[in-house]
Amino acid sequence: MSRPVKRSLTLRGHRTSVSLEDEFWKCFREIAAKEDVPVNVLAARIDEARGVEMGLASAIRLYVLRHYRDKS
């Protein structure tokens, strides 16, 4: 697995960055494409649903994991 890479996102008009491994980023983009939403919109949805104790990168990783786990 690759090392996390910092990428920029815009969530509800505010710029932020998230560090994700390439594998997670690729899957995250695939999920957004399948749901026919921009990555920033999907990230904003995940951000709104996460708890205050969890960082955005962790929330995205768990979203990706659950997405593919629930498909099987």
Coordinates of all heavy atoms in Angstrom, one line a residue:
M1 N 0.9 -1.2 0.0 CA 0.0 0.0 0.0 C 0.9 1.2 0.0 O 2.0 1.3 0.6 CB -0.9 0.0 1.2 CG -1.9 1.1 1.2 SD -3.3 1.0 2.4 CE -4.3 -0.2 1.6
S2 N 0.4 2.3 -0.6 CA 1.2 3.5 -0.8 C 1.1 4.3 0.5 O 0.2 4.1 1.4 CB 0.7 4.3 -1.9 OG -0.6 4.8 -1.7
R3 N 2.0 5.3 0.6 CA 1.9 6.3 1.8 C 0.8 7.3 1.5 O 0.5 7.5 0.3 CB 3.3 7.0 1.9 CG 4.4 6.0 2.3 CD 5.7 6.8 2.3 NE 5.7 7.9 3.3 CZ 6.2 7.7 4.6 NH1 6.6 6.5 5.0 NH2 6.1 8.7 5.4
P4 N 0.2 7.8 2.5 CA -0.8 8.8 2.3 C -0.3 10.0 1.6 O 0.8 10.5 1.8 CB -1.3 9.2 3.7 CG -0.8 8.0 4.6 CD 0.4 7.5 3.9
V5 N -1.1 10.5 0.7 CA -0.8 11.8 -0.1 C -1.9 12.8 0.3 O -3.1 12.5 0.3 CB -0.8 11.5 -1.6 CG1 -0.6 12.7 -2.4 CG2 0.2 10.4 -1.9
K6 N -1.5 14.0 0.5 CA -2.4 15.1 0.9 C -3.0 15.6 -0.4 O -2.4 15.9 -1.4 CB -1.7 16.2 1.6 CG -2.6 17.2 2.2 CD -1.9 18.3 3.0 CE -1.5 17.6 4.3 NZ -1.0 18.6 5.3
R7 N -4.4 15.7 -0.4 CA -5.1 16.2 -1.5 C -6.1 17.2 -1.0 O -6.6 17.2 0.1 CB -5.9 15.1 -2.2 CG -5.0 14.0 -2.8 CD -5.7 12.9 -3.4 NE -4.9 12.0 -4.2 CZ -4.2 11.0 -3.7 NH1 -4.3 10.7 -2.4 NH2 -3.5 10.2 -4.5
S8 N -6.4 18.2 -1.9 CA -7.3 19.3 -1.5 C -8.8 19.0 -1.9 O -9.0 18.4 -2.9 CB -6.9 20.6 -2.2 OG -5.7 21.0 -1.7
L9 N -9.7 19.4 -1.0 CA -11.1 19.2 -1.3 C -11.8 20.5 -0.9 O -11.3 21.3 -0.1 CB -11.7 18.1 -0.4 CG -11.3 16.7 -0.6 CD1 -11.8 15.8 0.5 CD2 -11.8 16.2 -2.0
T10 N -13.0 20.8 -1.5 CA -13.8 21.9 -1.1 C -15.1 21.4 -0.5 O -15.8 20.7 -1.2 CB -14.1 22.8 -2.3 OG1 -12.8 23.2 -2.9 CG2 -14.9 24.0 -1.9
L11 N -15.3 21.7 0.8 CA -16.5 21.2 1.5 C -17.3 22.4 1.8 O -16.9 23.3 2.6 CB -16.1 20.5 2.8 CG -15.1 19.3 2.6 CD1 -14.9 18.7 4.0 CD2 -15.7 18.3 1.6
R12 N -18.5 22.5 1.2 CA -19.4 23.6 1.4 C -18.7 25.0 1.3 O -18.9 25.8 2.2 CB -20.1 23.4 2.8 CG -21.0 22.2 2.8 CD -21.6 21.9 4.2 NE -20.6 21.6 5.2 CZ -19.8 20.5 5.4 NH1 -20.0 19.5 4.5 NH2 -19.0 20.4 6.3
G13 N -17.9 25.1 0.3 CA -17.3 26.4 0.0 C -16.0 26.6 0.8 O -15.3 27.7 0.6
H14 N -15.5 25.7 1.6 CA -14.3 25.9 2.4 C -13.3 24.8 1.9 O -13.6 23.6 1.8 CB -14.5 25.7 3.9 CG -15.5 26.7 4.4 ND1 -15.1 28.0 4.7 CD2 -16.8 26.6 4.7 CE1 -16.1 28.7 5.1 NE2 -17.2 27.9 5.2
R15 N -12.0 25.3 1.6 CA -11.0 24.4 1.2 C -10.4 23.7 2.5 O -10.3 24.2 3.5 CB -9.8 25.2 0.6 CG -10.2 25.9 -0.7 CD -10.4 25.0 -1.9 NE -9.1 24.4 -2.3 CZ -9.1 23.5 -3.2 NH1 -10.2 23.0 -3.8 NH2 -7.9 23.0 -3.6
T16 N -10.1 22.4 2.3 CA -9.5 21.6 3.3 C -8.6 20.5 2.6 O -8.7 20.4 1.4 CB -10.6 20.9 4.2 OG1 -9.9 20.3 5.3 CG2 -11.4 19.8 3.5
S17 N -7.8 19.9 3.3 CA -7.0 18.8 2.7 C -7.2 17.5 3.5 O -7.5 17.6 4.7 CB -5.5 19.2 2.7 OG -5.0 19.4 4.0
V18 N -7.0 16.4 2.8 CA -7.1 15.1 3.4 C -6.0 14.3 2.9 O -5.6 14.3 1.7 CB -8.5 14.5 3.1 CG1 -8.7 14.3 1.7 CG2 -8.7 13.2 3.9
S19 N -5.4 13.5 3.8 CA -4.3 12.6 3.4 C -4.9 11.2 3.3 O -5.3 10.6 4.3 CB -3.2 12.6 4.4 OG -2.6 13.9 4.5
L20 N -4.8 10.6 2.1 CA -5.3 9.3 1.8 C -4.3 8.5 0.9 O -3.6 9.1 0.1 CB -6.6 9.3 1.0 CG -7.9 9.7 1.8 CD1 -9.0 9.8 0.8 CD2 -8.2 8.8 2.9
E21 N -4.2 7.2 1.2 CA -3.4 6.4 0.3 C -4.0 6.4 -1.1 O -5.2 6.5 -1.2 CB -3.3 5.0 0.9 CG -2.6 4.9 2.2 CD -3.5 5.3 3.4 OE1 -4.7 5.6 3.2 OE2 -3.0 5.3 4.5
D22 N -3.2 6.2 -2.1 CA -3.7 6.2 -3.5 C -4.8 5.1 -3.7 O -5.7 5.4 -4.4 CB -2.5 5.8 -4.5 CG -1.6 7.0 -4.7 OD1 -2.0 8.2 -4.5 OD2 -0.4 6.8 -5.1
E23 N -4.7 4.0 -3.1 CA -5.7 3.0 -3.2 C -7.1 3.4 -2.7 O -8.1 3.2 -3.3 CB -5.3 1.7 -2.5 CG -4.1 1.0 -3.1 CD -2.7 1.5 -2.6 OE1 -2.7 2.5 -1.9 OE2 -1.7 0.9 -2.9
F24 N -7.1 4.1 -1.6 CA -8.3 4.6 -1.0 C -8.8 5.7 -1.9 O -10.0 5.8 -2.1 CB -8.1 5.1 0.4 CG -8.2 4.0 1.4 CD1 -7.1 3.5 2.1 CD2 -9.5 3.4 1.8 CE1 -7.2 2.4 3.0 CE2 -9.6 2.4 2.7 CZ -8.4 1.9 3.3
W25 N -7.9 6.6 -2.3 CA -8.4 7.7 -3.2 C -9.0 7.2 -4.5 O -10.1 7.7 -4.9 CB -7.2 8.7 -3.5 CG -7.6 9.9 -4.2 CD1 -7.3 10.1 -5.5 CD2 -8.3 11.0 -3.7 NE1 -7.9 11.4 -5.9 CE2 -8.5 11.9 -4.8 CE3 -8.9 11.3 -2.5 CZ2 -9.2 13.1 -4.7 CZ3 -9.6 12.5 -2.4 CH2 -9.7 13.4 -3.4
K26 N -8.4 6.2 -5.1 CA -8.9 5.7 -6.3 C -10.3 5.1 -6.1 O -11.3 5.3 -6.9 CB -8.0 4.6 -6.9 CG -8.5 3.9 -8.1 CD -7.6 2.8 -8.6 CE -8.2 2.1 -9.7 NZ -7.5 0.8 -10.0
C27 N -10.5 4.3 -5.0 CA -11.8 3.7 -4.7 C -12.8 4.8 -4.4 O -14.0 4.7 -4.8 CB -11.7 2.7 -3.5 SG -10.7 1.2 -4.0
F28 N -12.4 5.8 -3.7 CA -13.3 6.9 -3.3 C -13.8 7.6 -4.6 O -15.0 7.9 -4.7 CB -12.5 7.9 -2.4 CG -13.3 9.0 -1.9 CD1 -14.5 8.9 -1.2 CD2 -12.9 10.3 -2.1 CE1 -15.3 9.9 -0.8 CE2 -13.6 11.4 -1.6 CZ -14.8 11.2 -0.9
R29 N -12.9 7.9 -5.5 CA -13.3 8.5 -6.8 C -14.3 7.6 -7.6 O -15.2 8.0 -8.2 CB -12.1 8.8 -7.6 CG -11.3 10.0 -7.0 CD -10.0 10.3 -7.8 NE -10.3 10.5 -9.2 CZ -10.4 11.7 -9.7 NH1 -10.1 12.8 -9.0 NH2 -10.6 11.9 -11.0
E30 N -14.0 6.3 -7.6 CA -14.9 5.3 -8.2 C -16.3 5.3 -7.7 O -17.3 5.3 -8.4 CB -14.3 3.9 -8.2 CG -13.1 3.7 -9.0 CD -12.4 2.3 -8.8 OE1 -12.9 1.5 -8.0 OE2 -11.4 2.1 -9.5
I31 N -16.4 5.3 -6.3 CA -17.7 5.4 -5.7 C -18.4 6.6 -6.0 O -19.6 6.6 -6.4 CB -17.5 5.3 -4.1 CG1 -16.9 3.9 -3.8 CG2 -18.8 5.5 -3.4 CD1 -16.5 3.8 -2.3
A32 N -17.7 7.8 -6.0 CA -18.4 9.1 -6.4 C -18.9 9.0 -7.8 O -20.0 9.4 -8.1 CB -17.4 10.2 -6.2
A33 N -18.1 8.4 -8.7 CA -18.5 8.3 -10.1 C -19.7 7.4 -10.3 O -20.7 7.7 -11.0 CB -17.4 7.8 -11.0
K34 N -19.7 6.3 -9.5 CA -20.9 5.4 -9.6 C -22.1 6.0 -9.0 O -23.2 5.7 -9.5 CB -20.6 4.1 -8.8 CG -19.6 3.2 -9.5 CD -19.3 1.9 -8.7 CE -18.2 1.1 -9.4 NZ -17.8 0.0 -8.6
E35 N -22.0 6.9 -8.0 CA -23.1 7.6 -7.4 C -23.5 8.9 -8.2 O -24.4 9.6 -7.9 CB -22.8 7.9 -6.0 CG -22.7 6.6 -5.1 CD -22.6 6.9 -3.7 OE1 -22.7 8.0 -3.2 OE2 -22.3 5.9 -2.9
D36 N -22.7 9.1 -9.3 CA -22.9 10.3 -10.1 C -22.9 11.6 -9.4 O -23.7 12.5 -9.6 CB -24.2 10.1 -10.9 CG -24.2 11.1 -12.1 OD1 -23.1 11.4 -12.7 OD2 -25.3 11.5 -12.5
V37 N -21.9 11.7 -8.4 CA -21.7 13.0 -7.7 C -20.2 13.3 -7.7 O -19.3 12.5 -7.8 CB -22.2 12.9 -6.2 CG1 -23.6 12.6 -6.1 CG2 -21.4 11.8 -5.5
P38 N -19.9 14.6 -7.7 CA -18.5 15.0 -7.6 C -17.9 14.5 -6.3 O -18.6 14.4 -5.3 CB -18.5 16.6 -7.6 CG -19.9 16.9 -8.2 CD -20.8 15.8 -7.8
V39 N -16.6 14.3 -6.3 CA -15.8 13.9 -5.1 C -16.1 14.8 -3.9 O -16.3 14.4 -2.8 CB -14.3 13.7 -5.4 CG1 -13.5 13.5 -4.1 CG2 -14.1 12.6 -6.4
N40 N -16.1 16.1 -4.2 CA -16.3 17.1 -3.1 C -17.7 17.0 -2.5 O -17.8 17.2 -1.3 CB -16.2 18.6 -3.7 CG -14.7 18.9 -4.0 OD1 -13.8 18.4 -3.4 ND2 -14.5 19.7 -5.0
V41 N -18.7 16.6 -3.3 CA -20.0 16.4 -2.7 C -20.1 15.2 -1.8 O -20.6 15.2 -0.7 CB -21.1 16.4 -3.8 CG1 -22.4 15.9 -3.3 CG2 -21.2 17.7 -4.6
L42 N -19.5 14.1 -2.3 CA -19.4 12.9 -1.5 C -18.7 13.1 -0.2 O -19.1 12.7 0.9 CB -18.8 11.7 -2.3 CG -18.8 10.4 -1.6 CD1 -20.2 10.0 -1.1 CD2 -18.2 9.3 -2.5
A43 N -17.5 13.8 -0.3 CA -16.7 14.1 0.9 C -17.5 15.0 1.9 O -17.5 14.8 3.1 CB -15.4 14.9 0.5
A44 N -18.3 15.9 1.4 CA -19.1 16.8 2.3 C -20.2 16.0 3.0 O -20.5 16.2 4.2 CB -19.8 17.9 1.5
R45 N -20.8 15.0 2.3 CA -21.8 14.1 2.9 C -21.1 13.3 4.0 O -21.7 13.1 5.1 CB -22.4 13.2 1.9 CG -23.3 13.8 0.9 CD -23.8 12.8 -0.1 NE -24.5 13.4 -1.2 CZ -24.9 12.8 -2.3 NH1 -24.5 11.6 -2.5 NH2 -25.5 13.5 -3.3
I46 N -20.0 12.8 3.8 CA -19.2 12.0 4.8 C -18.9 12.9 5.9 O -19.0 12.5 7.1 CB -18.0 11.3 4.1 CG1 -18.4 10.3 3.1 CG2 -17.1 10.7 5.2 CD1 -17.3 9.8 2.2
D47 N -18.4 14.1 5.6 CA -18.0 15.0 6.7 C -19.2 15.4 7.6 O -19.0 15.4 8.8 CB -17.5 16.3 6.0 CG -16.9 17.3 7.0 OD1 -16.1 16.9 7.9 OD2 -17.3 18.5 6.9
E48 N -20.4 15.6 7.0 CA -21.5 15.9 7.8 C -22.0 14.7 8.7 O -22.5 14.9 9.8 CB -22.7 16.3 6.9 CG -22.5 17.6 6.2 CD -23.6 17.9 5.2 OE1 -24.6 17.1 5.1 OE2 -23.5 18.8 4.4
A49 N -21.7 13.5 8.3 CA -22.2 12.3 9.0 C -21.2 11.8 10.1 O -21.6 11.1 11.0 CB -22.5 11.2 8.0
R50 N -19.9 12.3 10.0 CA -18.9 11.7 10.9 C -19.0 12.4 12.3 O -19.6 13.5 12.4 CB -17.5 12.0 10.4 CG -17.0 13.4 10.4 CD -15.7 13.5 9.8 NE -15.4 14.9 9.5 CZ -14.5 15.6 10.3 NH1 -13.9 15.1 11.3 NH2 -14.3 16.9 10.0
G51 N -18.5 11.7 13.3 CA -18.5 12.2 14.6 C -17.4 13.2 14.8 O -16.4 13.2 14.0
V52 N -17.4 14.0 15.9 CA -16.4 15.0 16.1 C -15.1 14.3 16.5 O -14.0 14.9 16.3 CB -16.8 16.0 17.2 CG1 -17.9 16.9 16.7 CG2 -17.1 15.4 18.5
E53 N -15.1 13.1 17.0 CA -13.9 12.4 17.4 C -13.1 11.8 16.2 O -12.0 11.4 16.3 CB -14.2 11.3 18.4 CG -14.8 11.7 19.7 CD -16.3 11.8 19.6 OE1 -16.9 11.1 18.8 OE2 -16.9 12.6 20.3
M54 N -13.7 11.7 15.0 CA -13.1 11.1 13.9 C -12.7 12.1 12.9 O -13.4 13.0 12.5 CB -14.1 10.1 13.2 CG -13.5 9.4 12.0 SD -14.7 8.2 11.3 CE -15.0 7.1 12.6
G55 N -11.5 12.0 12.3 CA -11.0 12.8 11.3 C -11.6 12.5 10.0 O -12.2 11.4 9.8
L56 N -11.6 13.4 9.0 CA -12.2 13.2 7.7 C -11.5 12.1 7.0 O -12.2 11.3 6.3 CB -12.1 14.5 6.9 CG -12.7 14.5 5.5 CD1 -14.2 14.1 5.6 CD2 -12.6 15.9 4.8
A57 N -10.2 12.0 7.0 CA -9.5 10.9 6.3 C -10.0 9.6 6.8 O -10.3 8.7 6.0 CB -8.0 11.1 6.4
S58 N -10.1 9.4 8.1 CA -10.5 8.1 8.7 C -12.0 7.9 8.3 O -12.3 6.7 7.9 CB -10.4 8.2 10.2 OG -9.1 8.2 10.6
A59 N -12.8 8.9 8.3 CA -14.2 8.7 7.9 C -14.3 8.3 6.4 O -15.1 7.4 6.1 CB -15.0 10.0 8.1
I60 N -13.5 8.8 5.5 CA -13.5 8.4 4.1 C -13.0 7.0 4.0 O -13.6 6.2 3.2 CB -12.6 9.4 3.3 CG1 -13.3 10.8 3.2 CG2 -12.4 8.8 1.9 CD1 -12.5 11.8 2.5
R61 N -12.0 6.6 4.7 CA -11.5 5.2 4.6 C -12.6 4.3 5.0 O -12.8 3.2 4.4 CB -10.2 5.1 5.5 CG -9.0 5.6 4.9 CD -7.8 5.3 5.8 NE -6.6 6.1 5.4 CZ -6.3 7.2 6.0 NH1 -7.0 7.7 7.0 NH2 -5.2 7.8 5.6
L62 N -13.2 4.6 6.1 CA -14.3 3.7 6.6 C -15.5 3.6 5.6 O -16.1 2.6 5.4 CB -14.8 4.1 8.0 CG -13.8 3.8 9.1 CD1 -14.3 4.5 10.4 CD2 -13.6 2.4 9.3
Y63 N -15.8 4.7 5.0 CA -16.9 4.8 4.0 C -16.5 3.9 2.8 O -17.4 3.1 2.4 CB -17.1 6.2 3.5 CG -18.2 6.4 2.5 CD1 -19.5 6.6 3.0 CD2 -18.0 6.3 1.2 CE1 -20.5 6.8 2.1 CE2 -19.0 6.4 0.3 CZ -20.3 6.6 0.7 OH -21.3 6.8 -0.1
V64 N -15.3 3.9 2.4 CA -14.8 3.1 1.3 C -14.9 1.6 1.7 O -15.4 0.8 1.0 CB -13.4 3.5 0.8 CG1 -12.8 2.5 -0.1 CG2 -13.4 4.9 0.1
L65 N -14.4 1.3 2.9 CA -14.3 0.0 3.4 C -15.8 -0.6 3.5 O -16.0 -1.7 3.0 CB -13.7 -0.1 4.7 CG -13.7 -1.4 5.4 CD1 -12.8 -2.4 4.7 CD2 -13.2 -1.3 6.9
R66 N -16.7 0.2 4.1 CA -18.0 -0.3 4.2 C -18.7 -0.5 2.8 O -19.5 -1.4 2.6 CB -18.8 0.7 5.1 CG -18.4 0.6 6.5 CD -19.2 1.6 7.3 NE -18.7 1.6 8.7 CZ -18.4 2.7 9.4 NH1 -18.6 3.9 8.9 NH2 -18.0 2.6 10.6
H67 N -18.4 0.4 1.9 CA -19.0 0.3 0.6 C -18.7 -1.0 -0.1 O -19.6 -1.7 -0.6 CB -18.5 1.5 -0.3 CG -19.0 1.4 -1.7 ND1 -20.2 1.8 -2.1 CD2 -18.4 0.9 -2.8 CE1 -20.3 1.6 -3.4 NE2 -19.2 1.0 -3.9
Y68 N -17.4 -1.4 -0.1 CA -17.0 -2.6 -0.7 C -17.3 -3.8 0.1 O -17.7 -4.9 -0.4 CB -15.5 -2.5 -1.1 CG -15.3 -1.6 -2.3 CD1 -14.8 -0.4 -2.1 CD2 -15.7 -2.0 -3.5 CE1 -14.6 0.5 -3.2 CE2 -15.5 -1.2 -4.6 CZ -15.0 0.1 -4.4 OH -14.8 0.9 -5.5
R69 N -17.3 -3.7 1.4 CA -17.7 -4.8 2.3 C -19.2 -5.2 2.1 O -19.6 -6.3 2.0 CB -17.4 -4.5 3.8 CG -17.7 -5.7 4.7 CD -17.7 -5.2 6.1 NE -18.8 -4.3 6.4 CZ -18.8 -3.4 7.4 NH1 -17.8 -3.4 8.2 NH2 -19.8 -2.6 7.5
D70 N -20.0 -4.1 2.0 CA -21.5 -4.3 1.9 C -21.9 -4.9 0.5 O -23.0 -5.4 0.4 CB -22.2 -3.0 2.2 CG -22.1 -2.7 3.7 OD1 -21.6 -3.5 4.5 OD2 -22.4 -1.5 4.0
K71 N -21.0 -4.7 -0.5 CA -21.3 -5.2 -1.8 C -21.2 -6.7 -1.9 O -21.8 -7.4 -2.7 CB -20.3 -4.6 -2.8 CG -20.7 -3.2 -3.2 CD -19.7 -2.6 -4.2 CE -19.8 -3.4 -5.5 NZ -19.0 -2.8 -6.6
S72 N -20.4 -7.3 -0.9 CA -20.2 -8.8 -1.0 C -21.2 -9.5 -0.2 O -22.1 -9.1 0.4 CB -18.8 -9.1 -0.6 OG -18.5 -8.5 0.6

